[in-house]
């Protein structure tokens, strides 16, 4: 007498068939059903049911029970003919019994009993399957009912035993570090459970954390003494003695997985142990990079090393630096992010992580799928490239994004070990096929597999599985995508449906996010090699190519719908997972996308992930239909992130939009916040967008006029903004605004405000030649102020100002020291534009020393591309090369493009007698004026010579143009001498 109804009590009560959940009516109907399930097929008298359901039974209680039973029978057996006897919920003697056959609690108990007798690997799989049945507390809605309490207690105890059996299996398999996080939680929740603490201490010890193991034993000793007044039992006492003695019996040697055809690569990895640093394993998708790392990790774990893994997901929408969070969690390390300036806090966090990891040696860290790594993951990895721990990182050589290419370039200085995995040799294929299918293949079949796969281990394995399923390799189209499609086509329809849904979830799959009871389908997919189980309810695709094929075969409309449904499930189950919610709702085109993208962007900023923040702010803006303050906040967030990442052109464009919107709203306070949001330190004296600068000046003046009294900090910031935008313009307003901004900032004692005001003072320190000493004073104060208050961007600005000022004063060694200091800060804190200026300085230094500098200048000019610094870029290379050639006495040539510097440079090369304008008062004032002097001498223009002599005289001790940090025409004194010699008379 079979039944198709499945009951689930490990969580809220559920009854379902293949057609879906059944309607169990009201709470008392459900209580009757739960009470009968607890009886496990035994008869429950009607009187007992009445007493269990009501503390004070009403008149007609027996009739009510009969009504409940009748309704339940209709729900449980909807297809039962009228007047046919019930087969599931039956009347027997004085009461009722439920002849259930499928109850999750019973399956759980049976699996746990079997797992106690099985070897570790089989036991782990079975226990994971059993624990996955739990959806919440057993009989969750009846926890306060006396009749349910004993069964709930019994099931909770079995669940605790299952978690401990799982930990035992992990320890037996040599996966101690993986067992630690769950045991920490388990022991903390049950502080008097000695076996939980025993397993935790043993796992910590085997994970290389001897001190933490002893600390755990001290914790349980205190708990037992405080709560019960007893000492630990023999098991804990013996374990503590063994740990103190470092007994060999505590160390388990895990089995090393077989790896076909990679003996040479394993040997190279073994050599890396002697000098721990970064090891890079690359190859195409499916080359076996992860398998090689796993085999090497198993070898080291057998020798007592601690192993920790982290993997970069492709599209998961997880927080920044997710692989490092996985690693730190598995090692039981909590490294808090320091407070303060984000860039400084980020650097100090990196150093703290490095120190914590160094203390755990011997330690192997594995970072898988580096081609999907975000900026923050790569930034921390760069800190460890040269040691002190061994780090193995894998990436696809065919899929190297720009950020990874940049990282690989920087990491090259640490001389990492590089291992490239090509195809397997032909003679390795028979062993690989035997490993997959358990049978030998003839040389001809092995040759076909090798040819079709190109030696790619994944492709070869997929072909071997096809061979194992139907024996007909000729039926398989070329290419792994076709292989995957072919294999998927052999699955039952419900399994294919679940796999498509899983592909939308991502490479990592949470069973709870799949609709209905998908476990059976997932298990079939796992058995067929599409998925791998790695925890209760946690699966992943066996290879990203499988997931890619499934996902890309979905229509765009289908993908959007499935992303929306996945997002809704995450919203219900994990409402705080804003990164995943933003990812799915953005791809779904959902109205919720903007809200979650904004939350995820703010979270990325808090985690020092400006590139990710910029992407999310942009995505939120692209999908937002809001106007007014709502849109303004999104724009301001994007401006902030773009400025930090060095994308100044885009930042200015969005800043203009923000200013327009703020003005339209007519709120001076809001407009002031928008204007001040772009507080990026500025070093160059030419505006990149003069029209925007003029507009911001006008808006800032109106906002200052409307600003309420008492808003001195806002006023100072607005005045500094005004002075910065008025750079390189005539008039007194800019210098006056800078002086007032500085005065207010000093009075308020706000370091950040003062640094911004000093930037404004620097930008307005060009009213005449010869002010390099004043700029040096500003630079020194900026460096001191910013270093004391961890204002990294302004500390960099101070060093760049000093690099320029010292160059002008002909102290090139001091300028070089400041360039190096700026570079160190820029590299440490990933400030992308610093290297542009320091590379130009080094080219200029070559030129000033008389060495060939043209190649260095051209390389420096290439760095300007894409920076958005159009105020610097337009013609500066031609200007610099002209100066270099003139200094060396070379022919200036006619091949140079002078751009905006044409009026001063062209007459030196080919003078047509056109008037030469006065130079703007900026970093290149002395250089332009010296070029003008050369032409005036050649023309014999004595009035011009006398005027130019007067203008250059205050800079007599400086190098012409070197104050820019970009180019130089040599000592100003030489030009003054020519002007004096030729400018006499009328």
């Amino acid at each position: 007498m079979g039944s198709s109804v499945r009951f689930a009590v490990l969580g809220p009560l559920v009854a379902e068939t293949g057609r879906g959940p059944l309607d169990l009516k009201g709470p008392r109907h459900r209580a009757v059903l739960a009470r009968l399930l607890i009886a496990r097929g035994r008869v429950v008298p009607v009187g007992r049911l009445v007493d269990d359901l009501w503390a004070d039974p009403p008149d007609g209680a027996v009739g009510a029970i009969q009504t409940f039973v009748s309704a339940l029978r209709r729900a449980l057996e909807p297809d039962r003919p009228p007047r046919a006897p019930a087969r599931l919920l039956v009347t027997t003697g004085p009461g009722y019994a439920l002849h259930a056959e499928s109850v999750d609690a019973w399956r759980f108990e049976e699996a746990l009993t079997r797992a106690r007798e099985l070897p570790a690997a089989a036991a782990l799989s079975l226990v994971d399957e059993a624990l996955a049945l739990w959806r919440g507390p057993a009989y969750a809605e009846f926890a306060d009912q006396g009749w349910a309490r004993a069964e709930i207690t019994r099931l909770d105890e079995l669940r605790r035993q299952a978690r401990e059996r799982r930990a035992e299996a992990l320890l037996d398999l040599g996966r101690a570090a993986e067992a630690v996080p769950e045991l920490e939680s388990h022991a903390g929740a049950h502080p008097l459970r000695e076996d939980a603490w025993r397993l935790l201490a043993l796992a910590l010890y085997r994970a290389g954390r001897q001190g933490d193991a002893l600390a755990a034993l001290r914790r349980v000793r205190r708990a037992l003494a405080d709560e019960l007044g007893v000492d630990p039992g023999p098991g804990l006492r013996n374990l503590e003695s063994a740990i103190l003695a470092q007994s060999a019996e505590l160390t388990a040697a895990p089995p090393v997985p077989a790896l076909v055809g990679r003996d040479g690569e394993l040997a190279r990895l073994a050599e890396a142990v002697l000098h721990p640093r970064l090891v890079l394993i690359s190859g195409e998708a499916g080359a076996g990079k992860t398998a090689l790392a796993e085999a090497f990790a198993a070898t080291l774990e057998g020798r007592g090393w601690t192993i920790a893994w982290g993997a970069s997901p492709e599209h998961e929408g997880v927080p920044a630096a997710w692989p490092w969070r996985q690693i730190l969690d598995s090692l039981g390390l909590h490294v808090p992010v320091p407070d303060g300036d984000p860039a400084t806090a980020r650097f100090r966090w990196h150093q703290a992580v490095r120190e914590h990891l160094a203390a755990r040696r011997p330690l192997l860290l594995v970072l898988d799928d580096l081609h999907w790594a975000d900026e923050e993951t790569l930034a921390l990895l760069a800190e460890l490239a040269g040691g002190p721990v061994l780090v193995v990182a894998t990436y696809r050589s065919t899929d190297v994004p720009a950020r990874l290419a940049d990282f690989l370039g920087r990491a090259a200085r640490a001389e990492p070990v590089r291992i490239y995995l090509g195809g397997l040799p032909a003679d390795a294929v028979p062993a690989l096929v035997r490993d997959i299918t358990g049978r030998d293949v003839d040389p001809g079949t092995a040759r076909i597999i090798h040819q079709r796969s190109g030696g790619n281990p994944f492709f070869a394995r997929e072909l071997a599985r096809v061979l194992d399923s139907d024996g007909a390799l000729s039926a398989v189209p070329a290419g792994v995508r076709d292989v995957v499609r072919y294999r998927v086509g052999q699955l039952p329809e419900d399994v294919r449906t679940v796999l498509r849904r899983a592909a939308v979830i991502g490479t990592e799959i949470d069973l709870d996010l799949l609709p209905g009871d998908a476990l059976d389908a997932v298990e079939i997919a796992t058995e067929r090699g599409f998925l791998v189980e790695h925890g209760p309810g946690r699966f992943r695709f066996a290879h990203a190519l499988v997931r890619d094929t499934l996902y890309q075969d979905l229509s765009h409309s289908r993908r959007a719908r499935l992303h929306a449904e996945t997002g809704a499930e995450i919203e219900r189950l994990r409402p705080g997972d804003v990164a995943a919610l933003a990812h799915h709702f953005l791809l779904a085109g959902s109205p919720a996308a903007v809200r979650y993208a904004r939350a995820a962007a703010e979270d990325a900023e808090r985690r020092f992930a400006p590139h990710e923040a910029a992407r999310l702010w942009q995505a939120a803006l692209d999908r937002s239909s809001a106007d007014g303050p709502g849109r303004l906040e999104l724009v301001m967030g994007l401006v902030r992130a773009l400025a930090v990442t060095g994308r100044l052109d885009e930042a200015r464009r969005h800043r203009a939009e923000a200013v327009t919107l703020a003005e339209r709203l007519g709120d001076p306070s809001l407009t002031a916040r928008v204007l001040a949001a772009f507080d990026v330190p500025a070093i160059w004296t030419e505006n990149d967008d003069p029209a925007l600068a003029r507009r911001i000046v006008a808006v800032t003046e109106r906002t200052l006029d409307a600003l309420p009294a008492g808003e001195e900090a806002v006023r100072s910031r607005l005045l500094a903004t005004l002075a910065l935008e008025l750079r390189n313009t005539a008039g007194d307003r800019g210098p006056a605004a800078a002086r007032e901004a500085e005065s207010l900032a000093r009075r308020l004692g706000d370091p950040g405000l003062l640094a911004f005001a000093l930037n404004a003072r620097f930008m307005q320190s060009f009213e005449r030649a010869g002010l390099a000493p004043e700029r040096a004073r500003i630079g020194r104060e900026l460096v001191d102020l910013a270093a004391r208050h961890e204002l990294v961007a302004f500390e960099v600005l101070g060093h760049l100002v000093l690099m320029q000022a010292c160059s002008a004063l002909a102290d090139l060694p001091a300028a070089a020291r400041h360039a190096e200091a700026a570079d160190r800060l820029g590299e440490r804190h990933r400030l992308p534009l610093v290297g542009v200026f320091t590379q130009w300085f080094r080219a200029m230094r070559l030129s000033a020393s008389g060495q060939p500098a043209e190649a260095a200048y051209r390389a420096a000019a290439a760095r300007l591309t894409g920076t958005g610094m159009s105020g610097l870029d337009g013609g500066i290379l031609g200007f610099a090369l002209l100066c270099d050639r003139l200094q060396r006495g070379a022919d200036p040539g006619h091949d140079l493009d002078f751009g905006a510097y044409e009026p001063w440079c062209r007459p030196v090369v080919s003078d047509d007698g056109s008037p030469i304008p006065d130079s703007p008062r900026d970093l290149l004032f002395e250089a332009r004026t010296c070029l003008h002097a050369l032409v005036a001498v050649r023309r014999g223009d004595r009035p011009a010579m006398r005027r130019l002599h007067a203008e250059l005289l205050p800079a007599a001790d400086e190098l012409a143009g070197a104050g820019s940090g970009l180019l130089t025409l040599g000592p100003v004194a030489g030009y003054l001498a020519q002007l004096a010699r030729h400018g006499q008379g009328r």
Side-chain angles (χ1 to χ4, degrees), residues 124-150:
L124 179 61
S125 177
L126 190 60
V127 170
D128 280 347
E129 177 186 334
L131 286 169
L133 296 171
W134 286 75
R135 299 164 293 109
Y139 292 96
E141 60 208 277
F142 309 109
D144 60 343
Q145 301 297 315
W147 50 267
R149 218 164 280 138

Side-chain angles (χ1 to χ4, degrees), residues 10 98 179 197 424 485 488 656 668 728 863 915 925 948 974:
L10 300 180
L98 185 68
W197 288 99
L424 293 173
R485 285 173 177 159
V488 170
N728 198 11
R863 289 283 297 273
F925 173 74
L948 295 171

Side-chain angles (χ1 to χ4, degrees), residues 370-427:
L370 211 60
H371 46 277
W372 290 325
D374 61 15
E375 294 281 350
E376 299 310 307
T377 297
L378 296 173
L380 182 48
L381 179 57
E383 294 288 337
L384 298 168
V389 298
L390 183 58
V391 184
V392 171
T394 73
Y395 68 93
R396 287 184 188 173
S397 56
T398 56
D399 188 10
V400 179
R403 60 180 176 273
L404 177 56
D406 178 62
F407 163 78
L408 293 173
R410 288 184 285 116
R413 285 172 289 184
E415 298 183 351
V417 176
R418 297 178 184 269
I419 298 175
Y420 174 75
L421 295 186
L424 293 173
D427 59 9

Side-chain angles (χ1 to χ4, degrees), residues 630-648:
R631 181 172 181 81
L632 187 56
E633 290 180 2
L634 297 179
V635 175
M636 289 168 64
L638 180 60
V639 169
R640 188 167 56 244
L642 289 174
V644 173
T645 58
R647 292 155 64 185
L648 300 180

Side-chain angles (χ1 to χ4, degrees), residues 37 47 75 149 229 254 340 368 383 441 503 656 707 713 880 895 923:
L37 282 166
R149 218 164 280 138
D368 211 7
E383 294 288 337
V441 293
L707 198 67
D895 60 330
L923 282 163

Side-chain angles (χ1 to χ4, degrees), residues 606-630:
R606 285 192 293 271
R607 298 180 184 282
F608 317 119
H611 295 271
E612 177 68 3
R615 183 187 72 81
L616 288 162
W617 283 120
Q618 184 64 67
L621 264 174
D622 290 344
R623 289 158 178 80
S624 174
S625 59
D627 205 349

Side-chain angles (χ1 to χ4, degrees), residues 664-694:
R664 190 187 308 152
L665 294 171
D667 182 345
S669 176
L670 188 62
T671 305
R673 277 173 35 221
V674 172
L675 291 167
F678 196 71
D679 58 350
V680 182
I683 187 68
W684 194 243
T685 46
E686 177 74 24
N687 260 309
D688 297 316
D689 188 341
L692 177 60
R694 289 191 295 271

